[in-house]
Structures are given as C-alpha cells and as structure tokens.
Amino acid sequence: MDTSELHNVPRNTGWIEVVCGCMFSGKTEELIRRARRAEIAKQKVVIFKPRIDNRYSARHIVSHSEQSLTSTVVDDASEILALSENAQVVGVDEGQFFKANLVEVCEKLANQGKRVIVAGLDQDYRGKPFEPMPQMLAIAEYITKTLAICVVCGNPADRTQRKTQSADRVLVGAKDIYEARCRHCFEPPSE
Ligand code: ZN
C-alpha cells in the first residue's frame, strides 16, 4: 500500500516501504509512481540504484515499460546516507543487488525521519529468497507485493523463470532471458 493512500499518514517519524515481486510485475513503475507523487507534493526525493544494473540508462531508473526517473548509481549502500542528507524521501531500486548493509542504512534513514521506499526482487531465479530483501521485509512498516502475469497460463505470477542455463545468481537482462511464471508453471533449475 502506498502510504499516501492511508488515512493516517505517519507524522514526525520516518518509515520503510518495500515493493517486492518478480520481474515484469511493475516494481520499478510503482517506485516511480510513489516518487513522482512525493515530488508533486514538493518533497525532496532522491533515488539510488546499484552499479550492477547497467541496462537502459546509467543515470535513471527505468522500468520495463520505460518510465524513468533520475537516479544516482552507488557501489555500496553506505554511500546513500551522505547523499540523502537533505532528502525527505529516499528511493532504492533493485534492492536485491545491494549487500546486507542495505538494511542498517534504511533503518538509519527511517530513524532520521525519512520515508524510505525500497523496490526489489524477493526471489531469485531458483525461487529462493533474494537477500537482503527478506530482511528488508521484516523491518518495513509497509509491504506491497506486486504480481506479474504468468506467460504460460495467465495466472498471477510471483516467480522469475530464467530461460538460459546460467547458474550465476545475477544475470542482468530482460525479456530475452527471463519471463514471469506462476507457482504451478515455474520450473526451478536442477541443483
Ligand atoms: Zn502459470
């Protein structure tokens, strides 16, 4: 749920929102939507993404449907603290590509009174929890799970099927390498 839709929006405190789901479920679009609404309300918004994600654009976060927002690329979550000093809203895209310290960085930001929005994959291509997103879910006040549509059967989909044999956990790409599948149609790779 977007906190801007709550009847009781938190006051005098920060908080953490997590938007998670599989690929093609609209996570980045949802992050962009929330960030845009905050900007329209004249709040200072900064968006970060990890360096690993070089697809489409280096200085923007871009959803698969090509909505975009200016963002800053960082090598490590610790860089976000200094770069967020004047911000009221801090967005993080591709949270699953950060290290475990993303959790403490987001805690610090929220404790400073900022609204923190983290988008990311909650499962890897094997259907296993994708750290540090499970830890982010545990400490977040608000959680949105976005679902895609299974390309095989049309059911709501929460898994990312890899269409190649690679066993690298991180293999950046889009429609040529991955597709969304439901629990029933998902075929986990052989161990
Ligand atoms: Zn299916």
Side-chain angles (χ1 to χ4, degrees):
M1 180 184 306
D2 184 346
T3 50
S4 59
E5 285 154 18
L6 293 175
H7 292 292
N8 293 310
V9 174
R11 285 168 205 233
N12 305 318
T13 182
W15 67 87
I16 298 171
E17 301 166 31
V18 172
V19 180
C20 66
C22 61
M23 288 183 68
F24 314 112
S25 66
K27 300 180 300 296
T28 299
E29 276 171 299
E30 180 59 22
L31 173 60
I32 291 170
R33 189 184 75 87
R34 293 183 191 187
R36 283 247 165 82
R37 285 166 60 112
E39 282 179 342
I40 289 165
K42 309 250 185 292
Q43 296 174 345
K44 175 109 171 66
V45 179
V46 287
I47 308 278
F48 299 94
K49 67 177 187 178
R51 183 169 304 283
I52 195 160
D53 184 15
N54 283 328
R55 70 185 170 205
Y56 304 135
S57 166
R59 279 175 302 134
H60 297 80
I61 57 169
V62 182
S63 69
H64 292 296
S65 59
E66 305 201 331
Q67 292 236 47
S68 77
L69 205 64
T70 304
S71 68
T72 301
V73 175
V74 292
D75 290 306
D76 188 271
S78 57
E79 297 167 42
I80 294 174
L81 288 170
L83 295 169
S84 300
E85 262 173 11
N86 302 315
Q88 294 160 278
V89 179
V90 180
V92 177
D93 197 22
E94 305 283 9
Q96 79 281 355
F97 289 151
F98 283 95
K99 296 198 294 259
N101 64 341
L102 177 66
V103 178
E104 60 186 69
V105 166
C106 290
E107 285 270 43
K108 276 186 191 155
L109 294 168
N111 289 344
Q112 289 168 5
K114 301 181 196 301
R115 175 186 179 190
V116 182
I117 311 169
V118 179
L121 290 169
D122 52 358
Q123 297 173 36
D124 67 12
Y125 74 102
R126 301 167 302 170
K128 307 282 190 210
F130 206 152
E131 299 83 12
M133 294 305 288
Q135 290 77 11
M136 287 304 313
L137 288 165
I139 60 158
E141 278 91 345
Y142 303 99
I143 295 166
T144 302
K145 182 135 176 169
T146 51
L147 295 171
I149 294 170
C150 176
V151 298
V152 179
C153 75
N155 270 327
D158 74 330
R159 303 188 188 213
T160 305
Q161 182 75 50
R162 184 178 283 180
K163 298 193 280 184
T164 67
Q165 292 297 315
S166 170
D168 293 335
R169 198 176 200 191
V170 176
L171 187 63
V172 175
K175 285 187 174 137
D176 48 335
I177 308 179
Y178 298 102
E179 63 189 23
R181 297 230 188 146
C182 73
R183 176 185 297 277
H184 177 70
C185 299
F186 178 67
E187 297 170 40
S190 45
E191 296 291 328

